[in-house]
Amino acid sequence: MAMTSWPSTGRQRRHQLASMLLLVLVVVGIYVPVFALLPSLSYTPQSLPSAIPQDEKMISRKFYIKDDNFWKDGNRFQIIGGDLHYFRVLPEYWEDRLLRANALGLNTIQVYVPWNLHEPKPGKMVFEGIGHLVSFLKLCEKLDFLVMLRAGPYICGEWDLGGFPAWLLAVKPRLQLRTSDPVYLKLVERWWDVLLPKVFPLLYSNGGPVIMVQIENEYGSYGNDKAYLRKLVSMARGHLGDDIIVYTTDGGTKETLDKGTVPVADVYSAVDFSTGDDPWPIFKLQKKFNAPGRSPPLSSEFYTGWLTHWGEKITKTDAEFTAASLEKILSRNGSAVLYMVHGGTNFGFYNGANTGSEESDYKPDLTSYDYDAPIKESGDIDNPKFQALQRVIKKYNASPHPINPSNKQRKAYGSIKMQMTTSLFDLVRMTDPADVITSANPISMESVGQMFGFLLYESSYIAKKSGNTLRIPKVHDRAQVFVSCLSQDVDVGVLRYIGTTERWNNQPISLPTIECTTNTSLFILVENMGRVNYGPYIFDDKGILSSVYLDGQILHGWKMIPIPFHNLNQEPNLTFEMQHTKNRSKKFELTNDVGRKEPALFAGEFSINSEEEIKDTYLSFNGWGKGVAFVNEFNIGRYWPSVGPQCNLYVPAPLLKRGKNTLVVFELESPHLELSLEAVDHQDFTCGSNVSKVNQL
């Protein structure tokens, strides 16, 4: 296996730049530390059942398929399940969301395992905080749920790169993901050698909740490498044994099932299809891809809603139509898994993206993964869809149903005054030279070792009196262009905004005449807005992926400067404290001058007087431009109200504390004219330019 060399020890000190995010707010002359960005979530859910002792395992415990039915301990069993992703919900809320799924009447939870969350760097395995998979599975068992585990290695799920770690894109020679490429499979094997032994004690036959394990996901919509699928089955069986049901999921067409199923008798093939499609002809087709007697009808993704991209109308589906479609399956003893029963939130930088027929037709997903599911992003169940689905499910699940939990309380904490603390220029100026990577041509974020967030590219050129034309043929995903007479502007810290070019709207940029005593400095800030998670373009490297042309000629001589915001569930590596040499916030003045459109960090505080006042809230970004926000060192995700439809970011109560709470935003364009944010008590999907804000499916 030949991999690109990772940054040297000196380069690893790039994490020192994160210490600049220990910002100092100047308030009545006293320095106050603002935040240390994104430590790992160190908490573990309390009151979990301990590992199941060997002597309590029941020999009679068995979940299996026979006579085209699922069987549990000798009794026919109808799966009425729902997808709920532990990595989209704070651990403190796992039990709350599972109890709401229980109240809906579900008996099974289906859950993906995202490889990239658990192996963010090669060989570094993380199963703590929001990644504490075993704790989540034990909670499911405690609440009497069975579990269908979707182990990947590819999961899709509107999650960055379909769950693959981004560092796979930096392996040289280039890996062929989702194939029988031996180097790729060796890395999958290394990952599953860690994951699957954690799952084995939790199999149903061992006293745990896991009844089925899925390999890959909707592979028939992507490839046709049967050797690859058989290898995954072999790996899974090697760790989990022959009794566990190994399954695949594919779209309910002959073409996708032909390509995505495994032609062996002991692998079960499930199907998914659009809500409202007649399920029973699809289940009849499903039987042709399973061994005789081994095809219980199962829709493993029964869609309760749908995803939404930035710039689209928020998607809604009719509650009664959804419930009636589910009853068509359940009324004839079919099984179904609601996708999603609860969507949650794409915290950090992990949101995925889709494309159209062209790679440039790029569509990043919202931070909210509400999905119009019956259990809303904030956990609310007082809605027509929950009620309609519950009425149907109660007919077919005779188990006692608990009383519906009440909606969680929310609080509007009001206006939060923000202050500019650090400009993009300051970030550049404070960068350790050892963190900067140089190259004749721009290189990708993955090759630099910067997997998420932002990367700044710097070069220089000789300005023409008539101006220059800049062209970047391939940029993933959004590039903001700035120029500076660096030797002259160093004392005032000015980067002059020139324009923006985007993956989906790639246009040349005219550089104005600037009279510098030396060459003009060129800065290009590139944002990774989330990797494609589905379709033929999942090999989604980020950054500048082509030569950069100035007046038709290749521009050489580049520096790559990491901007190291931490992602979800990552430990910061802070080795020194950033010292301000001046108070930029006193000099900052709002202006309509486009040249002042410089990215900057803004910080503010709000206070909570008592533990009883700590409630869920939302941050309204109406009036702000585009960026990413952090509450008490936690990355709550991206905002982009000018494009919409999402206006507000969800802030779960466990992120808050009694006393002072800190808020930091990295604003890429222009802050609110009053330099303030509002903490409100409701979600809002009415931002952007769409006249109608709802896409009714």
Side-chain angles (χ1 to χ4, degrees):
M1 179 179 67
M3 299 183 66
T4 53
S5 60
W6 296 95
S8 63
T9 302
R11 288 175 183 168
Q12 290 172 354
R13 295 202 304 272
R14 69 188 182 85
H15 294 289
Q16 295 171 352
L17 185 56
S19 64
M20 73 183 64
L21 304 175
L22 293 171
L23 302 171
V24 178
L25 284 176
V26 179
V27 181
V28 296
I30 300 175
Y31 288 110
V32 180
V34 177
F35 76 126
L37 192 59
L38 285 183
S40 173
L41 296 173
S42 58
Y43 42 74
T44 299
Q46 301 298 312
S47 303
L48 292 175
S50 58
I52 303 163
Q54 289 282 357
D55 57 5
E56 292 184 15
K57 294 178 185 176
M58 303 294 293
I59 296 176
S60 62
R61 284 178 64 95
K62 189 174 182 181
F63 193 93
Y64 57 99
I65 294 173
K66 179 183 176 183
D67 298 332
D68 289 332
N69 284 279
F70 293 111
W71 296 76
K72 176 174 173 280
D73 303 334
N75 298 306
R76 285 185 177 87
F77 187 83
Q78 185 177 31
I79 293 173
I80 307 176
D83 267 86
L84 196 160
H85 301 155
Y86 60 96
F87 46 91
R88 285 182 162 123
V89 181
L90 294 190
E92 294 94 334
Y93 275 176
W94 287 346
E95 186 162 2
D96 174 85
R97 301 308 195 252
L98 289 170
L99 286 170
R100 293 166 192 273
N102 190 15
L104 184 61
L106 304 188
N107 55 33
T108 305
I109 294 296
Q110 184 171 245
V111 60
Y112 286 129
V113 181
W115 183 2
N116 51 10
L117 181 73
H118 294 288
E119 193 177 2
K121 296 180 180 180
K124 179 184 179 182
M125 300 295 178
V126 179
F127 285 90
E128 299 171 346
I130 206 167
H132 207 306
L133 171 64
V134 169
S135 291
F136 179 80
L137 296 178
K138 288 181 178 179
L139 260 178
C140 292
E141 196 272 336
K142 171 187 172 184
L143 298 175
D144 294 325
F145 283 112
L146 301 176
V147 172
M148 298 165 63
L149 190 76
R150 313 178 86 174
Y154 166 81
I155 64 169
C156 186
E158 290 73 63
W159 193 252
D160 188 87
L161 200 57
F164 284 128
W167 51 261
L168 292 176
L169 299 176
V171 176
K172 304 298 180 185
R174 185 84 160 177
L175 292 177
Q176 297 301 307
L177 304 179
R178 307 185 74 184
T179 73
S180 50
D181 174 354
V183 180
Y184 160 66
L185 282 174
K186 191 69 176 176
L187 293 170
V188 174
E189 185 174 30
R190 185 180 73 181
W191 156 231
W192 277 7
D193 282 349
V194 177
L195 171 66
L196 297 184
K198 294 179 181 294
V199 175
F200 179 73
L202 297 169
L203 298 182
Y204 186 76
S205 60
N206 293 335
V210 179
I211 56 170
M212 300 169 64
V213 174
Q214 180 179 312
I215 61 160
E216 255 284 343
N217 190 41
E218 297 179 328
Y219 186 71
S221 299
Y222 177 81
N224 190 23
D225 188 340
K226 298 295 187 182
Y228 166 55
L229 296 178
R230 284 193 292 268
K231 180 63 175 177
L232 294 182
V233 172
S234 176
M235 287 184 194
R237 292 280 183 220
H239 285 288
L240 304 177
D242 295 331
D243 292 336
I244 185 70
I245 298 172
V246 173
Y247 71 110
T248 58
T249 291
D250 284 287
T253 69
K254 184 178 185 302
E255 179 185 4
T256 54
L257 287 164
D258 270 333
K259 294 191 294 185
T261 55
V262 186
V264 292
D266 65 343
V267 177
Y268 169 64
S269 302
V271 291
D272 58 27
F273 44 86
S274 297
T275 301
D277 287 353
D278 186 348
W280 290 98
I282 298 172
F283 291 145
K284 183 178 179 181
L285 175 65
Q286 177 192 8
K287 293 185 72 170
K288 296 180 180 180
F289 294 89
N290 282 305
R294 291 188 52 82
S295 193
L298 169 65
S299 172
S300 56
E301 289 189 11
F302 175 88
Y303 302 110
T304 60
W306 199 248
L307 60 103
T308 305
H309 304 115
W310 290 107
E312 296 177 348
K313 303 170 186 177
I314 192 66
T315 301
K316 296 287 184 181
T317 58
D318 182 76
E320 294 299 331
F321 174 80
T322 303
S325 298
L326 178 63
E327 186 155 26
K328 289 179 181 178
I329 297 173
L330 301 185
S331 63
R332 294 174 58 181
N333 200 36
S335 292
V337 181
L338 308 184
Y339 192 99
M340 301 287 297
V341 64
H342 171 61
T345 308
N346 291 318
F347 293 120
F349 296 120
Y350 275 119
N351 67 274
N354 290 289
T355 60
S357 59
E358 301 294 331
E359 186 179 17
S360 59
D361 186 14
Y362 173 76
K363 304 172 184 179
D365 298 323
L366 300 183
T367 297
S368 172
Y369 198 62
D370 180 86
Y371 212 83
D372 196 31
I375 303 173
K376 312 310 290 181
E377 181 179 18
S378 62
D380 285 3
I381 59 175
D382 186 14
N383 63 77
K385 186 168 288 182
F386 185 94
Q387 294 161 3
L389 289 170
Q390 187 183 55
R391 285 195 300 271
V392 169
I393 291 169
K394 280 185 174 180
K395 297 180 184 179
Y396 304 100
N397 184 354
S399 301
H401 292 258
I403 297 174
N404 288 349
S406 59
N407 289 341
K408 297 194 76 66
Q409 293 184 344
R410 297 190 292 268
K411 186 172 179 62
Y413 293 103
S415 180
I416 304 169
K417 192 66 178 176
M418 304 297 289
Q419 221 178 10
M420 179 182 174
T421 60
T422 311
S423 70
L424 178 62
F425 181 87
D426 291 331
L427 299 182
V428 174
R429 194 166 54 87
M430 292 183 293
T431 302
D432 188 329
D435 300 335
V436 178
I437 295 173
T438 60
S439 176
N441 294 299
I443 59 178
S444 71
M445 296 179 74
E446 292 81 9
S447 296
V448 171
Q450 176 82 21
M451 301 302 165
F452 296 94
F454 306 87
L455 185 63
L456 185 66
Y457 294 80
E458 179 186 355
S459 189
S460 63
Y461 65 99
I462 299 174
K464 294 180 180 179
K465 290 185 178 180
S466 59
N468 303 81
T469 300
L470 181 74
R471 189 167 64 89
I472 313 171
K474 191 171 185 179
V475 61
H476 289 188
D477 298 302
R478 188 173 186 268
Q480 294 170 268
V481 178
F482 306 86
V483 296
S484 175
C485 296
L486 200 55
S487 61
Q488 297 163 233
D489 292 341
V490 69
D491 291 330
V492 294
V494 175
L495 293 180
R496 304 178 190 183
Y497 172 74
I498 304 302
T500 298
T501 187
E502 297 152 327
R503 175 174 178 171
W504 58 94
N505 184 29
N506 193 306
Q507 300 292 332
I509 293 178
S510 296
L511 304 180
T513 301
I514 298 178
E515 295 183 2
C516 298
T517 57
T518 59
N519 287 358
T520 302
S521 295
L522 173 68
F523 295 89
I524 305 173
L525 181 65
V526 177
E527 179 186 5
N528 166 1
M529 293 177 60
R531 292 180 180 84
V532 173
N533 59 264
Y534 180 82
Y537 302 117
I538 61 170
F539 297 87
D540 192 14
D541 300 82
K542 297 300 185 182
I544 296 177
L545 306 178
S546 65
S547 295
V548 175
Y549 293 85
L550 189 72
D551 301 324
Q553 301 296 314
I554 295 177
L555 183 61
H556 294 291
W558 290 89
K559 297 178 182 177
M560 275 60 64
I561 305 169
I563 309 294
F565 293 105
H566 287 74
N567 204 355
L568 179 68
N569 215 37
Q570 283 187 323
E571 290 275 6
N573 182 17
L574 306 176
T575 54
F576 71 94
E577 291 188 0
M578 184 271 292
Q579 298 294 326
H580 284 280
T581 58
K582 58 186 175 182
N583 179 10
R584 286 293 308 274
S585 61
K586 289 184 177 178
K587 296 184 178 183
F588 183 74
E589 295 179 0
L590 288 167
T591 173
N592 291 325
D593 178 11
V594 70
R596 287 302 305 272
K597 208 171 183 180
E598 181 184 354
L601 286 159
F602 293 81
E605 294 179 344
F606 63 99
S607 294
I608 299 177
N609 295 326
S610 67
E611 297 286 341
E612 291 72 24
E613 292 183 17
I614 298 176
K615 309 293 183 186
D616 287 359
T617 192
Y618 291 88
L619 291 178
S620 171
F621 284 88
N622 272 298
W624 288 74
K626 185 181 194 305
V628 59
F630 307 86
V631 173
N632 290 334
E633 308 174 1
F634 184 89
N635 187 335
I636 62 170
R638 311 174 199 264
Y639 62 89
W640 200 5
S642 59
V643 168
Q646 185 174 358
C647 312
N648 304 346
L649 294 184
Y650 175 53
V651 183
L655 296 180
L656 303 177
K657 60 186 178 180
R658 185 171 65 85
K660 288 183 178 180
N661 292 265
T662 60
L663 168 63
V664 175
V665 301
F666 184 47
E667 169 60 50
L668 296 170
E669 295 179 343
S670 299
H672 192 283
L673 288 174
E674 297 180 1
L675 283 182
S676 65
L677 282 162
E678 288 285 328
V680 299
D681 61 0
H682 59 276
Q683 182 57 283
D684 186 355
F685 291 109
T686 63
C687 284
S689 58
N690 290 314
V691 176
S692 172
K693 303 302 178 186
V694 176
N695 179 24
Q696 185 73 40
L697 294 182

